[in-house]
């Protein structure tokens, strides 16, 4: 499992975006402030172009 890209991305300011197995949250300046593991698998793109998400982590 790869680590998320925690570099500054101004285009994602004030957003949470999915990066592979992680949901990364950016602040108002575009700095990544939090990464949460959301899946054990990043998912895949099917032959017909449909995006199939990974299996979510089941939390207790």
């Amino acid at each position: 499992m790869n680590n998320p890209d925690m570099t500054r991305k101004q285009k994602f300011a004030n957003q949470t975006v999915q990066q592979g197995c992680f949901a990364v949250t950016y602040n108002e300046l575009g700095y990544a402030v939090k990464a949460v593991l959301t899946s054990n698998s990043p998912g895949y793109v099917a032959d017909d172009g449909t995006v199939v998400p990974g299996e979510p982590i089941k939390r207790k």
Side-chain angles (χ1 to χ4, degrees):
M1 187 173 340
N2 295 329
N3 293 328
D5 179 4
M6 298 294 286
T7 59
R8 183 179 187 193
K9 294 188 174 32
Q10 291 177 312
K11 66 181 178 180
F12 294 138
N14 291 317
Q15 297 182 51
T16 299
V17 297
Q18 191 70 29
Q19 287 186 17
C21 299
F22 295 89
V24 180
T25 301
Y26 294 87
N27 69 9
E28 64 278 356
L29 299 174
Y31 289 100
V33 292
K34 180 171 70 170
V36 177
L37 184 65
T38 57
S39 172
N40 288 321
S41 168
Y44 62 94
V45 177
D47 290 336
D48 65 359
T50 304
V51 176
V52 180
E55 183 67 26
I57 293 177
K58 299 195 179 9
R59 302 191 191 277
K60 295 180 182 181

